[in-house]
Amino acid sequence: MSRLVRGLRIRLVVAFGLVATVATGTTGALSFREARNGVLQQSQDAVIGQLRTQLNQRAPELPFPPGESALQRLASDVADSAATGNWRVLVTFGSLSASSVPEDPFTELTPAVREAVGSSRATVFQRVRESDRTSLVVGMSLTFGDPDQSQLASGIRVFLVVPQSTEQAYVDALVSAVERAMVPALVLAVALALLAARGVLRPVRALRQATRRIAEGRLDTRLAVDGSDELADLSHTFNETAAALEASVAELREMEARARRFAADVSHELRTPLAAMSAVTDVLDEEAARLDPDTATAVRLISEETVKLARLVDDLMEISRFDAGAAVLHLDEIDLAESIRRTLASRGWTDTVETALPAPDAVRGRVDPRRLDVVVANLVGNALRHGGRPVRVRLEVAGAEGRVAVAGVEGRVAVTGAEGRVVVTGVEERVAVIEVRDSGPGIPDDVLPHVFERFYKSDTARVRSEGSGLGLSITAENVRIHGGTVRAGNDPAGGAVFTVELPLRRDEMSEESRP
C-alpha cells in the first residue's frame, strides 16, 4: 500500500505539472503572439503614416518629369524627416533612381515588392530578416489627381527600409518575461498539486492504517466518514465491511468457544464413568483366565476398548486446554537424553527403538518434562504403528559456525590480553534437535501437509485405528508452547522423519576461563 500511495502522489503531481505546463505554455504563446503582433503593427502603422505624410508634403514640389537631382532631394528629405534617423529611402522613376545612402544596394528590397508596387497603387510592406536583423520594407507609388478626382500614377516609386531593432528588443524582452513567468507558475502548480495530493491521499493513508489494524485483529476499527465524494463512499463501505467482519468473527468465536466447552464438558463427564469402567475391566482381566474362551475374548475386547476410550478422553481434555489457552509449562532444567531414555523404558521400547543420544548431562535445558515425554512418546508410537522398523531416535544440539563451548556455555568468543584469556559474551539460546526416523514407506506427498491436523488419518481404508487422530496434534501444540517447531518429511533413503527443535532456555551470562 505504501508503494501505491507514493505512486498516486507522483501521478497526481505529474498530472498537475503537465496541465500547468500546457496551460502556461499555451497562455504564454498566445500572449506573446498578440503582444508581438501589436508591437509590430503599431510600428508598421506609424512608419507608413509618417511616410505618407512626408510624401504628401513634398510630392507637389517635384517637377514632372523629375530629374535625378529631384529624386535625390526627395529621398534625402524623406530620410532626414525620420526622428530615429535610420530610414533608408530609394526613389525610382523609369530608369532613374536615387537613394538617401549613396551606393546602397537595398538587398532587403525583393523583386516581389518591386513588382507589387509597380502593379498596384496600394501601399506594399514586407518584413525581411537578414543576418539576425529584421527590417520593415515599405513601397508605394506617387499619384497625381486630375479634374475628375481620379488618381493617376506618376511612375515615381518610393521604397523605405526601416530596421526594427527596437521592436525586436521589445519582442525579446517579452519572450524573457514569458519564460520568467512560467517558472513561478510551474512552482505554484507543483505546490498546488502537493496540497491536492495530500488532501486526496489522506483518506487513502487512513484506509491503509485501518486495514493494518484489521489485519492485526482489531476488528472494531472504523474510519471517520467526511463528505459525500467517492472517498467518503469508500470509507463508508470499509466501515460496513469491518462491522460485518467483526460480527462474523464474533459469531465464529462464540461457536468455537461453545464447541470447546462442549468437548471439555463431555470429556470431563466421561472421566467418572470411565474410571469405574476401568476398575471393573481390571477385575475382569484378572478373572479372564478362568472364564470360558468366548467370554474371555469379550472381556479382553471390552478392556482394550475401555483403554482406548480413556486415552481418547485424555487427549480431548488436553486439546481443550490448548484451545482455551489454559495449558501451562512447568519448566525444569533436565537432562534431555535421560528424559528420552525414561520415555522409551517406561513404555517397553528400549529394545525396540534404536537411539543415538549424547552422554549424560551433555544436553541440558529448561523444558516441561511431562510434555517432552508426551512429544517423544507420540512420535515414537506413531512411527512404530504406521512406519517400518527399525525406528531410530536421535538427539543433538544445533550449533552455529564460529561458536565454541567453554565450560558448557556457548557464545561468541573474544581473545584479549597477553595471557590469552577467553571471554564468552552474548550467549545465545541453543536448540535441541530431536529426530524420530522409521524405515517404512514414508508419508505420501498429499498427506504431508495434513499430518498435524486433528483427527486426520492418512490410511482412509481403515475404518478403525489404534490412534485417536489427536496424537500428532497434541505433539505440535506441546512443541509450540515451548517456542519450538516440529516438521514432518521423508528421508530420500526411505522412511518418515519427524524433527523437533526446542530452544534450551538458559539465562544470558558472561564467563571467563583460562585455557
Side-chain angles (χ1 to χ4, degrees):
M1 182 67 79
S2 179
R3 288 192 298 270
L4 176 62
V5 172
R6 289 196 296 268
L8 287 175
R9 181 183 291 113
I10 290 175
R11 288 199 291 272
L12 286 174
V13 172
V14 170
F16 270 88
L18 290 176
V19 171
T21 301
V22 173
T24 305
T26 303
T27 303
L30 293 175
S31 301
F32 168 74
R33 188 184 68 178
E34 294 299 323
R36 176 179 178 275
N37 291 340
V39 169
L40 296 179
Q41 186 69 39
Q42 183 179 3
S43 172
Q44 171 186 304
D45 293 345
V47 169
I48 293 175
Q50 187 176 356
L51 177 61
R52 284 176 177 172
T53 300
Q54 292 298 323
L55 292 178
N56 288 336
Q57 292 176 356
R58 290 174 172 78
E61 301 175 357
L62 282 175
F64 192 84
E68 186 174 351
S69 60
L71 296 178
Q72 180 68 48
R73 185 172 57 253
L74 176 61
S76 300
D77 291 343
V78 173
D80 293 340
S81 67
T84 58
N86 57 359
W87 282 18
R88 294 156 51 213
V89 180
L90 173 67
V91 181
T92 64
F93 179 76
S95 60
L96 301 177
S97 66
S99 64
S100 59
V101 179
E103 299 181 358
D104 189 340
F106 283 90
T107 56
E108 299 91 348
L109 190 59
T110 62
V113 174
R114 293 177 182 270
E115 182 179 355
V117 173
S119 60
S120 173
R121 299 179 185 179
T123 301
V124 178
F125 59 88
Q126 182 182 26
R127 292 188 185 90
V128 180
R129 186 175 184 86
E130 287 186 347
S131 302
D132 297 331
R133 183 180 63 182
T134 303
S135 300
L136 175 65
V137 178
V138 181
M140 64 178 60
S141 296
L142 292 182
T143 57
F144 294 93
D146 61 0
D148 299 332
Q149 302 298 321
S150 61
Q151 300 292 326
L152 299 176
S154 64
I156 302 174
R157 301 184 181 95
V158 179
F159 300 96
L160 171 64
V161 177
V162 181
Q164 293 191 306
S165 56
T166 302
E167 289 78 3
Q168 186 63 42
Y170 288 155
V171 172
D172 293 341
L174 181 62
V175 171
S176 300
V178 171
E179 291 176 349
R180 289 193 300 271
M182 289 180 66
V183 175
L186 290 177
V187 173
L188 179 61
V190 171
L192 293 176
L194 291 174
L195 291 175
R198 182 180 179 183
V200 170
L201 296 179
R202 186 183 296 112
V204 177
R205 286 192 294 268
L207 179 61
R208 178 188 62 186
Q209 296 171 358
T211 304
R212 287 180 176 174
R213 289 195 292 269
I214 289 289
E216 292 170 357
R218 289 181 284 179
L219 301 180
D220 58 342
T221 301
R222 299 293 184 273
L223 290 174
V225 180
D226 186 15
S228 57
D229 55 7
E230 289 81 0
L231 292 174
D233 292 340
L234 179 61
S235 299
H236 183 69
T237 303
F238 174 85
N239 290 341
E240 292 179 345
T241 304
L245 179 62
E246 183 180 17
S248 299
V249 171
E251 183 179 359
L252 290 174
R253 286 175 177 172
E254 184 180 356
M255 294 172 61
E256 184 180 4
R258 287 199 301 265
R260 286 198 301 266
R261 286 196 301 269
F262 174 77
D265 292 343
V266 169
S267 301
H268 181 74
E269 293 299 326
L270 287 175
R271 297 190 72 176
T272 300
L274 273 175
M277 291 171 62
S278 297
V280 172
T281 54
D282 290 341
V283 175
L284 291 175
D285 284 340
E286 296 176 358
E287 299 294 331
R290 294 189 289 270
L291 299 174
D292 61 88
D294 292 339
T295 305
T297 300
V299 167
R300 292 189 184 92
L301 178 61
I302 292 173
S303 179
E304 292 173 359
E305 295 300 322
T306 302
V307 171
K308 292 180 182 179
L309 182 59
R311 186 182 301 117
L312 174 60
V313 170
D314 290 339
D315 289 346
L316 287 173
M317 289 291 292
E318 186 74 2
I319 284 292
S320 65
R321 281 191 288 269
F322 283 122
D323 289 342
V328 295
L329 287 174
H330 299 286
L331 298 177
D332 190 13
E333 186 168 340
I334 63 172
D335 181 354
L336 268 65
E338 183 60 28
S339 176
I340 293 175
R341 291 188 183 97
R342 285 198 300 268
T343 298
L344 299 178
S346 65
R347 291 163 176 80
W349 294 338
T350 303
D351 298 332
T352 307
V353 178
E354 298 178 2
T355 59
L357 305 177
D361 289 329
V363 181
R364 299 186 64 87
R366 290 179 57 79
V367 297
D368 188 324
R370 184 186 70 84
R371 297 189 184 278
L372 178 61
D373 175 77
V374 171
V375 168
V376 176
N378 282 347
L379 292 179
V380 174
N382 184 76
L384 291 172
R385 284 193 301 270
H386 304 297
R389 298 187 184 188
V391 174
R392 302 176 183 86
V393 178
R394 183 168 61 90
L395 170 65
E396 63 181 7
V397 177
E401 185 177 353
R403 298 170 62 187
V404 301
V406 178
V409 180
E410 290 190 355
R412 293 182 295 274
V413 176
V415 180
T416 60
E419 300 178 358
R421 299 170 65 191
V422 180
V423 181
V424 183
T425 59
V427 177
E428 301 175 358
E429 271 190 348
R430 301 177 301 165
V431 177
V433 180
I434 302 173
E435 184 182 273
V436 178
R437 181 190 304 267
D438 63 52
S439 303
I443 306 173
D445 293 338
D446 59 330
V447 174
L448 271 176
H450 309 286
V451 293
F452 295 107
E453 294 180 5
R454 299 175 185 180
F455 298 107
Y456 184 82
K457 297 179 182 180
S458 60
D459 192 354
T460 56
R462 292 178 298 163
V463 179
R464 290 174 54 82
S465 65
E466 296 180 6
S468 64
L470 295 173
L472 292 180
S473 299
I474 293 174
T475 298
E477 292 291 345
N478 279 315
V479 173
R480 180 185 60 81
I481 64 173
H482 276 89
T485 59
V486 59
R487 60 183 182 273
N490 291 313
D491 191 284
V497 181
F498 286 84
T499 305
V500 176
E501 294 183 357
L502 293 176
L504 302 179
R505 295 173 175 81
R506 300 180 67 91
D507 297 330
E508 290 193 359
M509 61 184 69
S510 176
E511 293 191 3
E512 293 188 1
S513 65
R514 296 179 185 272

